[in-house]
Amino acid sequence: MCIYRKISQNLTGRDFVVGDVHGHLQQLQNQLDALAFDPASDRLFCLGDLVDRGPDSAALLDMIDQKTVFSILGNHEAMMIAGFENEQDVQLHYANGGEWFYDLNRSEQSRLVDKVRQWPWAMQIDTGHGTVGLIHADVPDSSWEKVEGLAKFASNAWAEGAAMSEPHIALAAQPLLWNRGLIRRLYRDVIGLGREKMTKARYESEFQHWGEKVSDVDAEQRRPFQISGIDAVYLGHSYVPVTTHIGDCHFLDTFRGEEGEELGLVCINGG
């Protein structure tokens, strides 16, 4: 069990990264089929939040073998673990799409929790032309070194079976699995959307200009997305209308289950 994992280069095929799948196994399979994904040579890396909202949470968890199909931990898996560990945390998970988990018997719940507790919280991958990092939510202070430091800080307690509420675990989980520092900068400073409430029509209108605004950023706007200690970072957790590349950051959480949407799924090694 290692919270931070290093993955060697794929010498035989392609490496793909996908954003939050949230139980939508068929959507993922359709997109992999369209790419002629070959499990004998290709690899798939998930950014966490495989569970909740869609119909196939358990099946998606069972897909992860950390050999061909990899995943890091997301905040929805963290909520699942916490709900299993502490009755007081059930409601938060249930309210965020986790009702499927509490329909399972305790033995099956335990099996799934034991499985996801083996997942890393962050990964770095050798692509053959650089090193990329995978993290679910955020990169504190735009520093991959801080991601590594937080993972190291929590690793011993996690390996010993500490609960999500244990202080070392909670301190690392907040920035890595929950925070939205970078995405808020993207929405506020690049797209021009603050935290004020807006109608769905207003959001859709603003989203029509998303690509144009991202491509027109100046050096000051780009600065927070320049990540030290790594060549590129892929993140999920927070919705973007299209896969979005700015600075060293790639935001891939594009799928809400609505008609016409696709999962953010990209090849990272040009294989």
Side-chain angles (χ1 to χ4, degrees):
M1 181 192 309
C2 184
I3 284 183
Y4 190 92
R5 185 173 177 190
K6 297 181 180 180
I7 305 293
S8 58
Q9 182 183 357
N10 185 350
L11 297 174
T12 61
R14 300 167 295 172
D15 284 343
F16 294 93
V17 178
V18 66
D20 304 24
V21 180
H22 279 306
H24 292 95
L25 174 59
Q26 190 59 57
Q27 178 67 35
L28 175 61
Q29 192 60 61
N30 290 346
Q31 291 183 231
L32 291 175
D33 288 347
L35 292 165
F37 181 86
D38 181 358
S41 57
D42 298 333
R43 302 186 298 193
L44 176 66
F45 295 87
C46 305
L47 290 171
D49 280 12
L50 287 169
V51 300
D52 303 340
R53 299 177 180 159
D56 298 311
S57 292
L60 278 159
L61 296 183
D62 284 333
M63 276 183 63
I64 305 302
D65 60 8
Q66 304 292 13
K67 296 176 181 178
T68 299
V69 184
F70 300 74
S71 188
I72 57 174
L73 200 72
N75 66 305
H76 278 255
E77 286 83 26
M79 283 191 284
M80 185 184 85
I81 295 168
F84 179 79
E85 294 171 339
N86 188 337
E87 190 175 289
Q88 294 180 343
D89 292 318
V90 168
Q91 183 54 40
L92 178 63
H93 185 211
Y94 199 96
N96 282 278
E99 64 277 358
W100 67 275
F101 183 71
Y102 304 97
D103 289 338
L104 303 176
N105 62 51
R106 188 69 175 175
S107 175
E108 181 65 359
Q109 290 178 352
S110 179
R111 182 185 73 83
L112 294 177
V113 166
D114 287 347
K115 181 181 180 72
V116 299
R117 281 191 66 101
Q118 304 301 313
W119 294 4
W121 294 22
M123 282 186 185
Q124 70 175 59
I125 306 168
D126 178 359
T127 68
H129 49 79
T131 303
V132 305
L134 309 184
I135 193 69
H136 180 64
D138 203 21
V139 181
D141 298 326
S142 304
S143 167
W144 192 254
E145 295 94 340
K146 289 199 172 183
V147 171
E148 293 186 67
L150 285 164
K152 183 177 180 180
F153 177 76
S155 61
N156 287 341
W158 192 246
E160 292 169 1
M164 290 301 308
S165 57
E166 193 275 339
H168 287 75
I169 303 305
L171 187 65
Q174 186 62 46
L176 302 183
L177 306 182
W178 290 93
N179 281 2
R180 302 184 193 270
L182 287 172
I183 196 70
R184 282 177 175 155
R185 284 181 175 270
L186 175 61
Y187 269 87
R188 182 190 65 209
D189 300 339
V190 176
I191 307 303
L193 297 176
R195 301 183 71 175
E196 69 276 8
K197 288 186 178 297
M198 291 191 295
T199 65
K200 182 178 180 181
R202 169 76 189 283
Y203 269 114
E204 290 177 349
S205 175
E206 294 290 343
F207 285 168
Q208 290 178 4
H209 304 287
W210 185 279
E212 177 185 339
K213 290 181 177 182
V214 171
S215 64
D216 286 345
V217 294
D218 58 31
E220 188 60 30
Q221 291 172 309
R222 189 180 295 108
R223 191 183 313 278
F225 306 99
Q226 305 286 13
I227 309 300
S228 65
I230 201 87
D231 295 313
V233 177
Y234 291 80
L235 306 98
H237 187 50
S238 299
Y239 175 74
V240 288
V242 293
T243 57
T244 299
H245 176 203
I246 179 170
D248 300 322
C249 296
H250 300 255
F251 298 92
L252 300 188
D253 183 12
T254 61
F255 188 75
R256 298 171 297 183
E258 297 185 5
E259 186 176 353
E261 289 185 337
E262 289 195 337
L263 294 162
L265 177 60
V266 297
C267 182
I268 61 170
N269 65 343

